[in-house]
Amino acid sequence: MISIRNLTFSRGDRKIFDNISLDIMPHKITAIMGPSGTGKTTLLKLIGGQLTPDSGSIVVNQQNVHQLSRSELYKLRKKMGMLFQSGALLTDMSVYDNIAFPIREHTQLTEAMIRTVVLMKLNAVGLRGARDLMPSELSGGMARRVAMARALALDPEMIMYDEPFTGQDPISLGVLVQLIKTLNHTLHLTSIVVSHDVQETASIADYIYLISAGKVIGHGTPDEIRNTESDWVQQFMQGKADGPVPFHYPANDFGHELFANDTQQ
Amino acid sequence: MQSKSIEILVGLFVSLCIAALFFLALQVSNFRDLQDNGSYTVLAHFENAGGLKSKALISMAGVPIGRVAEISFDAENYDALVKMRIDARYKNLPTDTSASILTSGLLGDKYIGLTPGGLDEYLQEGDTIELTQSALVLERLISQFLFNSADKDE
Amino acid sequence: MKFFQLIGQISIKALAKLGRAGLFFMSILSSTGYLLFRPGLLIRQIYSIGVLTFWLIAISGLFVGMVLGLQGVYTLSTFGAESSLGIMVAASLVRELGPVVSALLFAGRAGSALTAEIGLMKATEQLSGMEMMAIDPLKYIIAPRFFAGFISLPLLAALFSASGILGGHLAGVDLLHVDSGAYWSQMQTAIDFNDDIINGVIKSIIFAWLVTWIALFEGYDAIPTSAGISRATTRTVVNSSFAILLFDFLLTALMFGAP
Ligand SMILES: Nc1ncnc2c1ncn2[C@@H]1O[C@H](COP(=O)(O)OP(=O)(O)OP(=O)(O)O)[C@@H](O)[C@H]1O
Ligand SMILES: [Mg+2]
């Protein structure tokens, strides 16, 4: 469904991706994991055509995303749903209108039919009762779930979830995990889940990519990942503080910087 | 807010502003003068058209009946040729009408005053008014006055 | 050397920004067709850009006119020329104050709001979100706001001039007893429809284009942080005020400069 080949992308001088290749299989749930700040969100934006790579290609449905014309790109995006990390709800519309918005824009459905669809999607994320609230009246977790309902509104073929589980209580978290799984199986969606919740993600993912420092560090089915020898993968999956994965954003030696500060003064 | 009441307010807003525009055109400017029911051009030669500007008023008996369209120098007669557009409503001006350049108030704008003659024939499109009196030039008046009083003293 | 390098840097930055702004404007224009199918979007924006600025402009116009009336009578009476009050009030409003002051007020009231709104939409990823829903924010968000501003400001400028002339009447005629007939008739003979009214409208159309363009671009180009948006909002007011005054000078020279 999606194949990424030799992708390189940098922000300023910093290389976010250094020649990585990965494949997302159709009708499966693919999880992308990695330390905070490695560029998981950036990867989703590259797939959605909002950012342009320095080199390499991203092919979705046999179409090279970055060689499409504007209108072809928009056509492709109608088949993609994306749940933004921040939710990205339109703040001047109610929850109901937010979900109805893409349907109204892209289909000729009557208001009665739109109502049915919207209520169905809201019900799936457990927020049917919150339909008249404005986005500013929602909690962070609720906003995330509304955004998820909106990403599903157009019944896309593939959907990208950027951290769907953060800020959810254990109950909603369980429901969302199940929801992603059921959607995937009943509607044959292609799903990409970016998440830090190792256990939950591993429980539903068909395939996992671990990325760090611009490279794919490990990939495989959850079982394969759990059983790899690599220290790196083991540390990440078990959440240990010590190991090869740096907790710090790249920086100079701390002692050195403290000392440098002294001499400046 | 309901989209219906927004539409009503926008409608009100636009019509009010357009009303303001009409007010500017009809009440403030000479728009109505320009919408003339046609007009005809009459020429006049002036020895001196000093201070007269195009668009200056042309009045008869104190009533505006037209405007100056163009002022140019006539190289044959060494005088000023003034084209006047007269409202078609006033088409029975006798051919011996006279034109003079006058000033409204002491420092006001120059305008052309027409005084009707007595003939039964009327001015037509392109005709020339023969009897003209030039602008009063203040400097000349003053110097005349000075010379006259100097003469008397002798 | 440092100095020239600095000048170079600044001019390159300015040119690059101008280029981006130009492209931005082109893409607004190319979205015009879409708006024809979605008049509702435009009407909503005329409401928040034009209708909500109505009272500000109407009342400011009235007061400016009243001040002109008072000052006019005061100045003209020293020449015994109070009867020309109408000319003075109307000419200054229709030619200059109407288009310029309403554009300045518009930049402060509607322009800054536009920049902040667009900038915040960018910061909260609403624009990206729309893009991913295959809805072009240039068409859906930017173009309606542009045309709403482009339509509203000339209308507001006419409103400003009209209420200013009424304000001049209020102060000069009703308060200071200048003859009402003279007020209107002198005005009508001196104010030319083509030279004054039409030129004033042309000015305000150009200001409308400038202010809305600057406001929307600054929002769209803003650094999506609170400081970035606040700076962009300031830039909108400052840059559009400069642009209005500069273009006013150029247009006045062009329109009224030659005898
Ligand atoms: N607009 C931007 N300009 C410059 N650098 C950016 C920008 N957005 C992100 N970055 C950088 O790109 C890197 C990757 O960011 P990204 O948001 O993709 O991380 P992430 O993997 O999604 O992290 P998290 O798990 O915390 O969401 C970060 O190190 C960040 O510093
Ligand atoms: Mg992220």
Side-chain angles (χ1 to χ4, degrees):
Chain A
M1 179 90 177
I2 304 177
S3 75
I4 297 172
R5 289 285 164 270
N6 306 328
L7 176 79
T8 301
F9 179 80
S10 25
R11 291 265 195 198
D13 292 336
R14 215 164 91 80
K15 267 205 174 134
I16 309 276
F17 295 116
D18 189 4
N19 201 13
I20 65 166
S21 299
L22 44 95
D23 285 291
I24 312 279
M25 282 164 295
H27 317 308
K28 294 267 157 67
I29 299 177
T30 305
I32 295 176
M33 297 176 153
S36 184
T38 34
K40 303 179 295 297
T41 302
T42 311
L43 184 67
L44 297 188
K45 287 194 172 168
L46 282 162
I47 294 174
Q50 293 196 305
L51 297 172
T52 313
D54 301 342
S55 65
S57 66
I58 297 177
V59 177
V60 178
N61 271 352
Q62 283 88 45
Q63 290 171 295
N64 186 329
V65 174
H66 299 95
Q67 283 169 4
L68 295 179
S69 72
R70 206 177 165 77
S71 62
E72 287 169 331
L73 179 61
Y74 272 80
K75 213 182 237 167
L76 179 63
R77 280 179 183 163
K78 281 187 207 171
K79 299 182 200 156
M80 297 182 183
M82 174 145 167
L83 166 66
F84 278 75
Q85 199 167 357
S86 62
L89 295 177
L90 303 174
T91 45
D92 57 354
M93 297 180 186
S94 68
V95 164
Y96 180 94
D97 288 328
N98 256 288
I99 295 164
F101 178 62
I103 312 177
R104 287 190 181 129
E105 288 299 311
H106 290 312
T107 68
Q108 254 76 53
L109 296 186
T110 60
E111 273 305 310
M113 289 161 84
I114 291 177
R115 190 183 140 85
T116 318
V117 176
V118 172
L119 292 186
M120 256 164 54
K121 307 288 173 192
L122 273 174
N123 200 37
V125 296
L127 288 175
R128 193 160 41 88
R131 62 174 175 268
D132 293 325
L133 297 182
M134 294 303 280
S136 57
E137 297 165 330
L138 300 176
S139 74
M142 286 162 85
R144 193 71 54 87
R145 280 188 277 158
V146 172
M148 186 150 156
R150 188 180 65 177
L152 294 168
L154 283 179
D155 290 326
E157 289 172 18
M158 57 170 283
I159 179 159
M160 302 186 267
Y161 304 95
D162 196 348
E163 317 221 356
F165 307 133
T166 23
Q168 304 296 341
D169 61 82
I171 301 169
S172 342
L173 194 148
V175 172
L176 289 189
V177 169
Q178 278 315 307
L179 179 66
I180 291 176
K181 196 177 163 103
T182 348
L183 280 172
N184 196 71
H185 287 294
T186 51
L187 300 177
H188 298 291
L189 298 182
T190 305
S191 315
I192 303 175
V193 181
V194 165
S195 175
H196 296 302
D197 298 80
V198 177
Q199 297 317 320
E200 283 75 15
T201 314
S203 72
I204 53 166
D206 296 304
Y207 207 79
I208 297 178
Y209 280 96
L210 287 174
I211 48 180
S212 174
K215 299 257 189 239
V216 175
I217 302 295
H219 59 102
T221 59
D223 284 338
E224 285 168 5
I225 290 275
R226 279 195 203 99
N227 299 327
T228 18
E229 315 264 282
S230 153
D231 290 346
W232 197 105
V233 175
Q234 288 307 325
Q235 188 204 344
F236 189 81
M237 297 300 283
Q238 289 163 26
K240 285 189 272 193
D242 290 323
V245 183
F247 161 69
H248 292 285
Y249 190 91
N252 296 330
D253 180 56
F254 191 33
H256 184 76
E257 284 201 3
L258 284 176
F259 182 66
N261 207 19
D262 268 352
T263 48
Q264 266 171 17
Q265 282 166 356
Chain B
M1 203 186 292
Q2 282 295 298
S3 70
K4 200 167 177 188
S5 54
I6 285 186
E7 279 167 14
I8 292 172
L9 281 171
V10 168
L12 264 175
F13 164 73
V14 171
S15 18
L16 255 170
C17 289
I18 289 182
L21 211 57
F22 269 99
F23 168 79
L24 291 183
L26 299 180
Q27 179 71 17
V28 172
S29 81
N30 60 351
F31 185 70
R32 270 187 294 202
D33 296 359
L34 297 180
Q35 297 322 95
D36 44 13
N37 353 330
S39 60
Y40 62 101
T41 310
V42 173
L43 305 175
H45 288 272
F46 289 96
E47 189 191 321
N48 186 337
L52 190 70
K53 297 199 186 91
S54 65
K55 299 223 172 76
L57 276 184
I58 295 164
S59 76
M60 183 171 251
V63 180
I65 60 165
R67 281 181 186 268
V68 171
E70 191 188 326
I71 303 168
S72 54
F73 178 65
D74 183 350
E76 272 176 38
N77 305 318
Y78 302 104
D79 62 8
L81 177 63
V82 175
K83 271 190 195 164
M84 299 180 277
R85 299 197 67 79
I86 311 277
D87 199 311
R89 274 177 295 174
Y90 312 106
K91 54 180 175 285
N92 42 1
L93 304 181
T95 43
D96 59 345
T97 295
S98 65
S100 40
I101 297 178
L102 305 169
T103 310
S104 62
L106 194 57
L107 299 168
D109 281 341
K110 294 273 196 296
Y111 68 98
I112 296 184
L114 298 185
T115 317
L119 292 181
D120 283 343
E121 279 171 57
Y122 300 128
L123 286 169
Q124 302 292 322
E125 165 78 29
D127 282 357
T128 304
I129 294 178
E130 303 294 345
L131 298 169
T132 63
Q133 192 188 356
S134 290
L136 278 179
V137 181
L138 208 57
E139 296 90 321
R140 229 185 255 175
L141 269 181
I142 292 170
S143 61
Q144 256 173 23
F145 173 76
L146 287 178
F147 283 128
N148 283 347
S149 48
D151 285 348
K152 273 183 206 153
D153 284 350
E154 279 179 18
Chain C
M1 270 301 129
K2 263 264 171 63
F3 176 70
F4 289 111
Q5 191 188 354
L6 195 71
I7 291 186
Q9 271 174 2
I10 290 174
S11 23
I12 287 171
K13 259 194 194 153
L15 266 180
K17 188 166 182 180
L18 206 66
R20 269 177 302 166
L23 287 178
F24 178 73
F25 180 61
M26 296 313 263
S27 38
I28 293 178
L29 282 191
S30 65
S31 313
T32 320
Y34 178 76
L35 266 194
L36 295 178
F37 297 103
R38 303 293 303 271
L41 290 177
L42 186 65
I43 287 177
R44 202 172 191 90
Q45 291 309 319
I46 293 184
Y47 174 76
S48 64
I49 293 173
V51 176
L52 296 182
T53 319
F54 182 88
W55 287 113
L56 173 71
I57 296 286
I59 292 172
S60 313
L62 196 71
F63 279 109
V64 168
M66 284 166 68
V67 169
L68 281 176
L70 294 180
Q71 290 285 4
V73 171
Y74 176 70
T75 311
L76 292 172
S77 64
T78 43
F79 305 112
E82 293 100 324
S83 57
S84 304
L85 179 70
I87 302 178
M88 201 199 101
V89 171
S92 36
L93 277 168
V94 169
R95 288 181 194 163
E96 292 295 338
L97 295 177
V100 173
V101 177
S102 56
L104 291 173
L105 290 171
F106 184 81
R109 162 66 181 78
S112 59
L114 280 178
T115 306
E117 187 187 13
I118 303 289
L120 213 62
M121 281 187 156
K122 188 179 176 186
T124 53
E125 291 196 300
Q126 294 185 53
L127 298 182
S128 304
M130 272 190 186
E131 276 180 21
M132 285 308 296
M133 285 188 273
I135 296 159
D136 190 347
L138 279 170
K139 287 184 182 163
Y140 192 87
I141 300 285
I142 307 285
R145 283 167 175 74
F146 177 79
F147 286 101
F150 190 67
I151 293 170
S152 298
L153 179 52
L155 292 176
L156 289 168
L159 178 75
F160 187 96
S161 298
S163 61
I165 288 167
L166 294 180
H169 189 275
L170 206 68
V173 176
D174 299 328
L175 222 62
L176 298 176
H177 309 297
V178 172
D179 180 51
S180 177
Y183 186 81
W184 293 117
S185 68
Q186 292 260 6
M187 192 186 291
Q188 281 170 15
T189 49
I191 302 295
D192 187 72
F193 180 73
N194 291 322
D195 281 357
D196 296 320
I197 309 273
I198 293 288
N199 277 347
V201 171
I202 291 175
K203 268 189 182 178
S204 64
I205 288 176
I206 292 176
F207 296 161
W209 164 68
L210 279 170
V211 175
T212 349
W213 179 27
I214 290 175
L216 289 172
F217 178 70
E218 287 293 357
Y220 197 73
D221 203 47
I223 300 166
T225 60
S226 23
I229 293 169
S230 101
R231 256 179 283 138
T233 311
T234 314
R235 272 202 306 273
T236 292
V237 177
V238 173
N239 290 355
S240 34
S241 306
F242 274 137
I244 290 165
L245 296 173
L246 174 72
F247 271 74
D248 183 48
F249 173 73
L250 296 177
L251 289 171
T252 305
L254 214 79
M255 289 168 171
F256 304 102

